[in-house]
Every structure is written in structure tokens, then in C-alpha cells.
Amino acid sequence: MTIDTNVVLAILSIVMFGGLVGYFLFLMRHQEAAEPEREVYGVELLEQHYEPGATVEQPTPYFVAPIPASPDPLEISANLDKKILLGGLMLFALFGMTGLYFVIQGFASPLYPDGGIRAAAVEHQLRLDVRRGKALYASLCYDCHGRDGRAGTNPEGQVLPGLPLNKDAFKYEVLKDDPSALDTARRLIVTTIQRGRKRAEPAYSMPAWHRAEGGPLSDWQIKQLTDLIMYGSEEDWADMPHVREEHAQPVAEQIPPPPAVPSGDVVAANTCAVCHSFQQDRPSTNALAPNLWNYGAVGPINAELKALKDSGDADWLAKWVSNAPEVKPGTAMPAYGGQLGEDGVRLVVEYLLTLGK
Ligand code: HEC
Ligand code: HEC
């Protein structure tokens, strides 16, 4: 066990403080014994008796304090100087140690070779954050981002909805020499966890987790997750299935059901309306993209697409929406097969073929 300098200093301070208080208590006691409460003498001396007309030499009333036997008050007050001095010294020693602590905590020492107490405290806090981050990850993120944080496919062969988080582009060790990349990575991670990332259905969205976004997590908890992602070691990630077991949750990812597949017009409104218009009297936002309000009646428009349809391919429009650049190389219409998935494409195609009919 290493001895924590903080603890030693704290114990020393408490002992000193106790000594100080004890010492003053002792002095007060001592003083009480040295100067006991006394009756007032000499009042009776004032009671004089005179005969009428007698001339009496008036004695001057005076007061004589009895001289106590022991202890000698002069002796006590002589020591008092030294005692007060000693007490003062102890008090200043307390201040001194506090100051010393602030000075030495930044430096490396035999007990803390890697940059002193402060660095050790930061490291300790970081390990604590990573550990809490693991518990949060295991219960909230595991099912989408995977037991090893790498998403992709799990050992059972299921495709997980999330993206890899345990990757070099997020790691402090990899980024530490590039402060701006480090800052960008941290901000991307924090913002994504806070606000989530909405994807058009039927794709999975990254949920928003911050309390301000209606989620369950505080700033501090989001920091703990971020610290796990940036500072977590391979052992931390490999430990994740055990954390799940500790929380009595299954090791296999429980992939949440995919978001409800919306109807074709919703897909079109969410995904296609950024370029295309679906209303007769409104031009498309993107001048190159045709207005599709009557596409079911007039389509296809492009020679390439017409040729594909004429070849008897029943999937001509699905092929276009999934991957237009494959049908017409160089077109400005992007591919949507990946984002919408088969179901999404099928729905929007069915919707397009009803338009204008
Ligand atoms: C419902 C599944 C789901 C859950 C649960 C989930 N995520 Fe995600 N997460 C996603 C998806 C999907 C994306 C990708 C979004 C996109 O398309 O850009 C993502 C993206 C991210 C990203 C951005 C990655 C990148 O490379 O841009 C981070 C960081 C992240 N998630 C962290 C978390 C954390 C931390 C938790 C737990 C608190 C969590 N996620 C829980 C689905 C999920
Ligand atoms: C980034 C803008 C953009 C988005 C978003 C977009 N398109 Fe297009 N789309 C275009 C452009 C540009 C064209 C014209 C392509 C050409 O003629 O080369 C086009 C053409 C089309 C055509 C006509 C093809 C033909 O020649 O008959 C259809 C149908 C179509 N898009 C469907 C969709 C659907 C469905 C979506 C949503 C899933 C969508 N587009 C999203 C830009 C876009």
C-alpha cells in the first residue's frame, strides 16, 4: 500500500490543531488555579467610629491584597510569553502546511513519479469516470454499439444499428499530439451523445441522451461516457460483457426493433423533398430535380431510365431510387438504397407510381 501524502498531511494538521486547542484549554485551567476568585478586603477599614467633637487623625483607607502562597503569578506570566509564542507558531505551521501542500502537489515526488499529487488525482478521477462510463455504456449503448464498442456484426451474426465508438479516430492516445483534432473529436462525441442524430425512418436514429433533450443523462454522465470512448483501454472494452452480467443483463446485444416503417409519402417528404417538389404549383428546390407531382403518369423522363423500363425490368424505378448514378452515370441524383433500405425504397416507389393518376 502506498502512503498518500494527502492523508499524512491531513493527520498532521489534525494532530497539530488538537494540540493547539488542548494547549489553550490547559492554559485557561492553569490561570484559573493561579488566580482564584477572592473576596474584596478592606471595606471594613472604612467603618470608623468617632466620639462627638473628637478630633481623630483620619487614616487613609488602603487596600492590601493577600499574597497567595503558590503558585507564583509572576512565574506563570513569565511562562505565558513562551506559551503564547508556541501556540502562535503552531497556528502558523498549520497555514504553512496548507501552503506547502499547494506548492508540492504540482511536482513529481518519489511517491508520485508521474507529475505529482495533482496529476495522480486527475488520473484517479479519469479511471473513476471510465469505470462509471462502462456501467452506463453497458446498460444504455451496448445493444446498438456492440459489446466491444465496434458495432458492425456481433458474434451471433446480427448487424448492429450503431457506429463504431472504440476506434482510433476517437482515442486520446492517438490524438494527443494534435490538440485541435482532440478537441474536434471530443466535441463530436459529446454533441452526438447529448443531442443524438435523427435519421429518416426506417433507418435507426441515434437517440438524444441529455436531460435538456428529454433524455436521462446529466452533463457529468455524458462526460463519463466520453471519457470511456476516449480513454477506455482494450481491457475496459473487453470487460463490457462482464459488466452486463453484473447488471443481470444478457451478453448478446438486444437489438431494439427498427423504427416503424413509415408510409411512402412520409419517406418522400423526409428524404426527397429537399430537392424535388411533389406539388403541381410549386417548383422543385433543386432546379435540376424534376417536379414529381405527376410522375406516375409521365415517368420515366431520362433516356437511360426509359431504356431500362423498356427492357422489361419491373424494378426500373427501384433501381433508380436505390442507385441513380448506376443507371445514369454522372447524374446529380444521389443513391438512396443504403439510407432507406429495401423497404424504404419499395414504399417510396409505390408512392411515386400513384402520383398524377
Ligand atoms: C437505438 C440504437 C442506439 C443506441 C441505444 C445508442 N446509439 Fe449511438 N448511434 C446510433 C446510430 C444509428 C448512430 C449513427 C447515426 C448516424 O447515422 O450518423 C450512432 C452514433 C453515435 C455516435 C457518433 C459516432 C460517429 O462516428 O459519428 C456516438 C458518439 C454515439 N452514437 C454514442 C452513443 C452512446 C454513448 C450511447 C449510449 C448512451 C449510444 N450511442 C446509444 C444508435 C444508437
Ligand atoms: C440532392 C437532390 C435530390 C434528392 C434529395 C433526390 N433527388 Fe431525385 N433527382 C435529382 C436530380 C438532380 C434528378 C435529375 C437526374 C437527371 O436527370 O440526371 C432527379 C431525378 C429523379 C427522378 C426522375 C428520374 C427519371 O429520369 O425519370 C425520380 C423518379 C427521382 N429523382 C426520385 C427521387 C426520390 C424517390 C428521392 C427520395 C428518395 C429523390 N429523388 C431524392 C435530385 C435529387
Side-chain angles (χ1 to χ4, degrees):
M1 202 192 94
T2 58
I3 309 160
D4 193 327
T5 317
N6 283 330
V7 175
V8 176
L9 284 178
I11 292 174
L12 263 178
S13 305
I14 291 169
V15 169
M16 281 237 177
F17 184 68
L20 199 68
V21 171
Y23 204 74
F24 276 113
L25 281 178
F26 169 78
L27 282 184
M28 282 160 67
R29 272 286 170 95
H30 209 54
Q31 202 76 339
E32 179 73 10
E35 289 179 47
E37 286 283 317
R38 283 158 301 189
E39 286 169 40
V40 180
Y41 295 90
V43 176
E44 70 279 8
L45 289 178
L46 295 174
E47 288 169 13
Q48 307 284 342
H49 301 281
Y50 305 110
E51 290 302 321
T55 44
V56 179
E57 212 179 313
Q58 196 74 26
T60 314
Y62 63 96
F63 170 77
V64 180
I67 296 171
S70 81
D72 181 355
L74 292 175
E75 200 179 297
I76 292 172
S77 56
N79 279 342
L80 208 58
D81 278 359
K82 284 188 205 147
K83 286 163 187 165
I84 289 175
L85 200 67
L86 195 66
L89 274 179
M90 283 164 142
L91 194 65
F92 280 104
L94 274 183
F95 290 132
M97 277 199 300
T98 315
L100 191 66
Y101 171 76
F102 279 104
V103 173
I104 64 169
Q105 65 167 346
F107 293 106
S109 64
L111 275 180
Y112 297 99
D114 307 326
I117 301 172
R118 193 179 309 155
V122 169
E123 178 64 27
H124 178 72
Q125 183 61 46
L126 198 63
R127 291 312 311 164
L128 218 64
D129 279 356
V130 169
R131 214 167 61 219
R132 303 226 169 96
K134 274 163 71 177
L136 288 171
Y137 182 92
S139 61
L140 299 176
C141 324
Y142 189 100
D143 292 325
C144 286
H145 289 278
R147 65 195 72 180
D148 54 2
R150 293 210 166 84
T153 314
N154 70 2
E156 286 83 26
Q158 300 165 298
V159 177
L160 304 174
L163 290 177
L165 305 179
N166 174 13
K167 60 173 184 181
D168 282 353
F170 284 166
K171 288 200 192 302
Y172 172 79
E173 275 306 316
V174 176
L175 303 174
K176 64 181 174 191
D177 295 328
D178 186 347
S180 86
L182 195 63
D183 190 49
T184 312
R186 175 169 280 274
R187 248 182 301 160
L188 170 82
I189 297 169
V190 170
T191 320
T192 308
I193 302 175
Q194 282 178 337
R195 302 187 197 154
R197 231 181 260 159
K198 184 89 185 104
R199 293 289 177 221
E201 294 86 1
Y204 282 93
S205 290
M206 162 71 181
W209 296 98
H210 195 244
R211 285 190 189 145
E213 309 281 334
L217 299 184
S218 66
D219 283 333
W220 195 250
Q221 288 169 312
I222 289 175
K223 177 187 183 304
Q224 289 163 349
L225 281 163
T226 308
D227 283 344
L228 165 71
I229 294 170
M230 298 189 78
Y231 298 91
S233 62
E234 262 326 303
E235 292 85 71
D236 286 324
W237 287 105
D239 188 36
M240 218 55 94
H242 304 135
V243 182
R244 280 279 274 212
E245 283 169 339
E246 278 166 23
H247 291 72
Q249 282 174 305
V251 168
E253 291 84 352
Q254 307 296 298
I255 301 173
V261 177
S263 52
D265 56 332
V266 174
V267 177
N270 285 344
T271 314
C272 321
V274 267
C275 293
H276 292 282
S277 170
F278 291 89
Q279 286 161 303
Q280 185 177 7
D281 48 2
R282 243 184 68 198
S284 294
T285 322
N286 180 332
L288 292 173
N291 186 334
L292 298 176
W293 74 275
N294 61 352
Y295 189 77
V298 302
I301 307 163
N302 263 303
E304 290 87 345
L305 198 50
K306 275 194 179 116
L308 187 65
K309 185 184 181 190
D310 291 345
S311 74
D313 193 335
D315 285 338
W316 61 276
L317 188 50
K319 283 186 175 161
W320 173 263
V321 176
S322 302
N323 196 349
E326 196 177 85
V327 179
K328 183 186 174 188
T331 183
M333 160 89 185
Y336 283 98
Q339 180 183 329
L340 298 178
E342 246 173 70
D343 287 343
V345 170
R346 185 178 46 79
L347 285 168
V348 78
V349 163
E350 282 167 9
Y351 169 69
L352 288 181
L353 293 177
T354 64
L355 295 174
K357 285 189 177 164

